[in-house]
């Protein structure tokens, strides 16, 4: 399979949103079980300039973003959430996602924050996430990279560790039963 990794452009917006909705389906299921509805709801808030895509035969099969202290890869859009999830769930989505999407990053400008790493279900376990991470880090001039992953996502932890990411912090999750994980693991990669 031939995979091309490139900076995203505006034409990729819907594909990026669908990839995120599918990749984080378990997280979004509380709001809506339809991945296309979730994708439509979140698409308007994506800051495309922060994203990279992996494509195979002109189809986006994976996405990831690199944010920094100057801005995150996604913003909330309460109007879109209400339109797609309904008034009640739209307001809840805005509250929950605002913290997840828009919390300021407390890292120096020389550090990139990797987020939204997602590969379409039918393309998983083919090395696409690894390729996206390697290529996007080559294309950027950050001195270090940080990411977070839940403690139950062992496949992602193995992938990140194999690339040289090392755990530097672990934060216990307050609502672990509802969220399905006990802690967020923060990992760092330092360029040599």
């Amino acid at each position: 399979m031939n995979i091309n990794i490139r900076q995203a452009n505006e034409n990729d917006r819907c594909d990026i949103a669908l990839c995120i909705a599918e990749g984080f389906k378990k997280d979004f299921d509380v709001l809506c079980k339809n991945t296309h509805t979730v994708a439509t709801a979140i698409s308007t808030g994506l800051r495309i300039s922060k994203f990279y895509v992996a494509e195979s035969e002109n189809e986006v099969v994976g996405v990831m973003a690199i944010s920094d202290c100057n801005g995150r890869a996604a913003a909330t859009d309460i109007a879109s959430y209400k339109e797609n999830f309904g008034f009640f769930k739209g307001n809840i989505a805005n509250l929950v996602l605002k913290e997840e999407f828009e919390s300021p990053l407390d890292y120096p400008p020389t550090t990139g924050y990797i987020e939204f790493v997602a590969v379409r279900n039918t393309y998983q376990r083919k090395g696409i996430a690894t390729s996206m991470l390697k290529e996007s880090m080559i294309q950027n001039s950050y001195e270090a990279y940080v990411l977070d992953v839940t403690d139950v996502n062992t496949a992602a932890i193995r992938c990140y560790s194999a690339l040289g990411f090392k755990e530097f912090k672990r934060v216990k999750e307050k609502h672990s039963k509802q969220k399905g994980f006990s802690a967020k693991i923060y990992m760092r990669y330092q360029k040599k």
Side-chain angles (χ1 to χ4, degrees):
M1 173 174 29
N2 190 21
I3 299 292
N4 178 42
I5 313 297
R6 63 172 172 77
Q7 182 98 37
N9 61 54
E10 188 56 41
N11 295 331
D12 299 316
R13 181 176 294 278
C14 293
D15 292 328
I16 292 169
L18 186 58
C19 200
I20 292 169
E22 193 175 284
F24 294 92
K25 182 172 177 28
K26 198 170 104 179
D27 300 310
F28 287 117
D29 270 355
V30 174
L31 298 169
C32 179
K33 296 194 183 307
N34 184 314
T35 54
H36 291 281
T37 301
V38 171
T40 300
I42 66 172
S43 69
T44 58
L46 299 177
R47 294 187 175 119
I48 301 302
S49 65
K50 303 273 187 189
F51 281 89
Y52 290 83
V53 296
E55 60 184 0
S56 175
E57 298 176 20
N58 295 321
E59 178 186 3
V60 173
V61 298
V63 301
M64 63 164 286
I66 302 179
S67 300
D68 58 31
C69 63
N70 297 311
R72 300 288 299 270
T76 53
D77 182 346
I78 192 166
S80 182
Y81 298 161
K82 286 179 182 178
E83 180 181 330
N84 289 283
F85 302 141
F87 180 82
F88 181 70
K89 283 188 177 180
N91 279 306
I92 290 172
N94 192 61
L95 287 171
V96 172
L97 296 177
K98 190 167 213 58
E99 182 180 340
E100 189 67 31
F101 288 1
E102 297 181 15
S103 293
L105 298 171
D106 191 21
Y107 300 112
T110 55
T111 299
Y113 182 74
I114 296 172
E115 55 187 338
F116 295 112
V117 179
V119 175
R120 300 290 307 268
N121 292 340
T122 54
Y123 291 90
Q124 290 181 355
R125 312 254 186 276
K126 297 182 189 309
I128 294 171
T130 300
S131 295
M132 278 192 305
L133 286 159
K134 282 181 180 177
E135 185 60 31
S136 64
M137 290 189 312
I138 288 169
Q139 292 180 26
N140 279 280
S141 59
Y142 295 108
E143 295 171 11
Y145 294 89
V146 173
L147 56 81
D148 66 74
V149 60
T150 61
D151 60 347
V152 296
N153 195 346
T154 55
I157 293 168
R158 277 194 307 274
C159 171
Y160 301 143
S161 295
L163 288 169
F165 281 84
K166 304 228 182 305
E167 180 178 338
F168 71 93
K169 181 169 73 170
R170 192 175 284 240
V171 178
K172 286 188 179 262
E173 180 56 43
K174 294 175 191 165
H175 307 288
S176 58
K177 281 199 172 167
Q178 294 89 333
K179 291 195 174 178
F181 64 92
S182 300
K184 273 193 177 179
I185 297 171
Y186 290 82
M187 302 178 83
R188 179 187 320 272
Y189 174 86
Q190 187 70 45
K191 279 188 175 177
K192 294 173 173 68

